[in-house]
Amino acid sequence: MMEDVFKIKNEEDRVSALYDIFDESTRLSTKATQIEFLTTIRQIEKHLKPGMKILDLGAGTGEYSLYFARNGFEVTAIELVEKHVMQIKEKINSEMSLQLFKGNAIDISMIEDKSYDIVLCFRPLYHLVKIEDRMKCIEEVKRVCKDNGKMFFAFISNDMVILTETMCYNSGFLNGDTYNHENFKLVDFPFVFHTVEDCRKLLRDSNLVINSEVAADGLSELLADKINNMDDESYRLWLNYHYYCCEKPEFLGASNHLLFITEKSTLD
Ligand SMILES: C[S@@+](CC[C@H](N)C(=O)[O-])C[C@H]1O[C@@H](n2cnc3c(N)ncnc32)[C@H](O)[C@@H]1O
């Protein structure tokens, strides 16, 4: 039962049990779910230069790590869940420079200070239940990133989840008790949810400078059935429209996944 998973105190056991319910290896396999991946890759590539080193924290089943390793970059992937580590391992080939560690994003002491140009922190922030641990994770990201490097963080939008839950999965959602009826804050289960302002506060409290804020998947989950039925040309045009919208501030909150691109403050 999903509720039992949340009672598990040990971080690794809880996250592992969650991914026994959610199959991460197929999450990005439809036209609709691919939008988040393609948008994120496009944003990373704006900052990527040949020879740069990439660290992927919370690498899942390796979609981002493998993509960049296949494209000739030196990549390090760190992942908490053993099953996911094994799934990445199976896909690494001898032509890739991909180092893989099983580890927790709040302590990556195996990684040297200031050693990566690009640090991806996609998801640990919405698994780490305690705010102190989310801050610790961001401190680790800052520590291992070069002074002129870029740090990418992903969040799940509190406000958009209410919309998609109600419209796609449970029409009685708004009658339920999984959110505060006054301020619309969701109960942080099975993930930790952030409003756009929560994301900004967390990153700024960690003394990071926000360069860009991106609606990573926009309305894709809400419109999944329509998007999945598009022919390839319609999908290409839809994607192009999404790319046009995704950096507009007025679209930001209306996206299930939020991507923040940051750099170190010169005052740090
Ligand atoms: C939803 S998956 C996303 C994978 C991939 N980064 C992506 O964006 O598609 C989140 C991954 O983060 C991992 N994870 C969660 N908390 C973590 C932590 N504290 N340290 C390392 N990995 C963690 C989970 O095990 C899971 O594989």
Side-chain angles (χ1 to χ4, degrees):
M1 281 288 288
M2 185 84 91
E3 284 72 18
D4 298 332
V5 170
F6 210 54
K7 291 181 196 141
I8 304 173
K9 291 279 174 262
N10 177 280
E11 187 79 40
E12 182 178 340
D13 292 345
R14 191 182 61 253
V15 177
S16 297
L18 194 61
Y19 284 100
D20 284 338
I21 299 172
F22 292 107
D23 180 9
E24 179 58 18
S25 65
T26 54
R27 188 173 66 86
L28 298 171
S29 61
T30 68
K31 278 188 166 123
T33 54
Q34 275 260 315
I35 290 178
E36 177 195 343
F37 176 76
L38 296 171
T39 306
T40 304
I41 291 283
R42 187 168 169 269
Q43 291 292 330
I44 298 167
E45 286 179 342
K46 287 185 185 182
H47 300 276
L48 204 53
K49 297 193 183 76
M52 281 188 167
K53 283 176 65 180
I54 301 171
L55 176 68
D56 184 8
L57 265 187
T61 51
E63 275 69 16
Y64 290 94
S65 289
L66 292 160
Y67 173 87
F68 288 114
R70 279 188 201 107
N71 282 286
F73 289 92
E74 196 180 322
V75 180
T76 301
I78 301 182
E79 168 55 44
L80 186 63
V81 171
E82 176 72 19
K83 180 175 74 173
H84 292 172
V85 172
M86 297 314 289
Q87 285 173 324
I88 300 177
K89 208 177 247 174
E90 280 165 17
K91 294 180 223 155
I92 299 177
N93 68 40
S94 58
E95 277 150 45
M96 295 177 189
S97 171
L98 204 170
Q99 218 187 356
L100 177 62
F101 295 100
K102 180 174 178 304
N104 192 324
I106 60 174
D107 175 12
I108 48 169
S109 42
M110 70 289 245
I111 306 289
E112 271 179 43
D113 293 0
K114 301 185 184 189
S115 48
Y116 287 85
D117 304 279
I118 301 277
V119 183
L120 310 179
C121 184
F122 297 156
R123 328 299 162 196
L125 293 182
Y126 57 71
H127 283 288
L128 292 165
V129 178
K130 292 191 220 142
I131 179 78
E132 310 88 83
D133 286 343
R134 299 202 284 282
M135 301 285 282
K136 237 189 251 175
C137 171
I138 297 174
E139 280 313 309
E140 283 293 76
V141 169
K142 283 173 66 180
R143 180 182 66 75
V144 300
C145 187
K146 292 182 184 174
D147 284 340
N148 59 353
K150 296 284 177 189
M151 291 154 276
F152 294 69
F153 296 94
F155 299 90
I156 308 186
S157 164
N158 184 89
D159 299 351
M160 188 63 176
V161 166
I162 295 176
L163 177 63
T164 41
E165 280 298 322
T166 306
M167 293 299 163
C168 303
Y169 309 112
N170 172 11
S171 55
F173 182 82
L174 291 170
N175 295 325
D177 58 1
T178 52
Y179 73 101
N180 177 318
H181 287 227
E182 297 292 314
N183 65 11
F184 291 92
K185 176 73 192 94
L186 286 166
V187 173
D188 281 327
F189 168 78
F191 301 109
V192 178
F193 303 100
H194 294 80
T195 63
V196 170
E197 266 319 307
D198 294 336
C199 305
R200 290 181 181 139
K201 181 168 180 348
L202 185 63
L203 297 171
R204 287 182 182 142
D205 285 352
S206 304
N207 210 15
L208 286 169
V209 176
I210 298 170
N211 299 138
S212 323
E213 303 177 336
V214 184
D217 50 356
L219 303 176
S220 307
E221 190 166 339
L222 188 67
L223 303 179
D225 290 344
K226 288 197 166 66
I227 295 171
N228 288 333
N229 282 321
M230 285 177 176
D231 60 39
D232 289 351
E233 178 56 7
S234 307
Y235 182 65
R236 188 188 66 76
L237 292 168
W238 174 259
L239 204 51
N240 212 25
Y241 168 65
H242 167 72
Y243 291 157
Y244 159 76
C245 296
C246 71
E247 288 180 70
K248 286 180 175 258
E250 60 271 32
F251 278 82
L252 191 62
S255 177
N256 283 81
H257 292 91
L258 306 169
L259 174 67
F260 282 72
I261 303 162
T262 68
E263 63 185 14
K264 292 186 188 182
S265 159
T266 48
L267 304 174
D268 229 7

